[in-house]
Amino acid sequence: MKPSDVARASHPRTAAARTQVVVLLLAVLLGLGFGALLRYADDRSWSGATTTTAVITGLRSDGVHAMAGGADVVLHLAKVPAPGTELAVEVRPDGRARPVSYRQTWGGALLQGTGLAVGLTIVVQLYRYAVTGRKPAS
């Protein structure tokens, strides 16, 4: 089966509803794979990190500074906590640090991967529907 045959068979103007459901199910499966890769990448990127409590010391030009395990670490946070606030962080041996709440969970990774794949599939199918006339290109 050629790619053009698949494209023709899955065209949103001519394919049955069952075919569109199969396209979405394939997107979900692809998204679950993306999610697993996100989780794997997060684990690899933060391997060797230790969890400790950091005390926020203040905001500087390069980010939010905190003392964690006797070392000054820089955190990049959307909201700046008040100095003296304690925060659970992961610190890597190379000095990078992040709040524990930023750790990728299985549920979050699978949801993000699935949302990405299904969202892109819907956009592509809507685009295919909108740019073609009543007949798909042959």
Side-chain angles (χ1 to χ4, degrees):
M1 185 175 257
K2 294 186 241 175
S4 60
D5 294 336
V6 174
R8 199 173 355 275
S10 65
H11 195 280
R13 286 200 185 268
T14 59
R18 176 183 291 173
T19 304
Q20 295 304 312
V21 170
V22 169
V23 168
L24 284 176
L25 289 176
L26 289 173
V28 168
L29 288 175
L30 182 64
L32 292 174
F34 285 155
L37 284 174
L38 284 171
R39 173 67 184 192
Y40 174 75
D42 187 67
D43 285 348
R44 291 278 304 196
S45 178
W46 288 89
S47 65
T50 57
T51 302
T52 186
T53 300
V55 178
I56 304 298
T57 57
L59 177 65
R60 296 192 200 138
S61 61
D62 58 345
V64 178
H65 281 253
M67 291 300 292
D72 183 49
V73 296
V74 180
L75 301 166
H76 299 282
L77 305 170
K79 187 176 178 184
V80 179
T85 303
E86 292 188 356
L87 185 66
V89 296
E90 289 180 306
V91 180
R92 282 187 34 101
D94 64 3
R96 290 189 295 154
R98 71 173 178 180
V100 171
S101 63
Y102 284 22
R103 184 182 300 152
Q104 188 69 269
T105 64
W106 273 108
L110 294 177
L111 189 63
Q112 287 175 345
T114 303
L116 173 67
V118 169
L120 287 175
T121 299
I122 289 170
V123 167
V124 167
Q125 289 297 77
L126 288 173
Y127 174 79
R128 292 175 72 196
Y129 184 85
V131 299
T132 59
R134 292 291 166 195
K135 293 181 187 176
S138 3

